Amino acid sequence: MKGLYQRFGSKSLKIAEHGILIIISIATLFAIFEEVMLMFNRGTVELGDLLLLFIYLEVLAMVANYAEVGKLPIRMPIYIAIVALARYLILDMKSMDDWRVLAIAFSALVLAAAVIVIRFGQLKLPYPKDNVD
């Protein structure tokens, strides 16, 4: 009975996982389409628009990587967070006080340092290979 539950429970979770990945992909593509139409209607492309499109591209790359490998590298969401902080800083810097600018810049620096630490850990302390028979 336990094996039956594990087999069907695992399959159900995999189906749900793939369904959610499809929903995320469709929503991201829709957001990209909306942003492109906004730029087209406005007649200009601004740096904030490009950074937002880059964030969407990273989300799609993260979904594709997760669908192919079945694992999500923790660095990808951190990259997205760094770009989101940079976009926020670029778009709203004029209305921010000095401490907020410093806090956002420091946050991006901490995230970049986290990527370096994670990458160093992956190189120096790799996970052992799974020995599943």
Side-chain angles (χ1 to χ4, degrees), residues 81-82 84-90 92-93 96-111:
I82 292 170
L85 285 171
R87 182 179 183 276
Y88 176 59
L89 195 60
I90 290 167
D92 296 335
M93 187 184 308
M96 289 185 206
D97 61 17
D98 295 343
W99 287 108
R100 181 169 292 221
V101 171
L102 285 174
I104 294 169
F106 182 72
S107 299
L109 184 63
V110 167
L111 289 171

Side-chain angles (χ1 to χ4, degrees), residues 13 41 113 126:
L13 288 176
N41 290 335

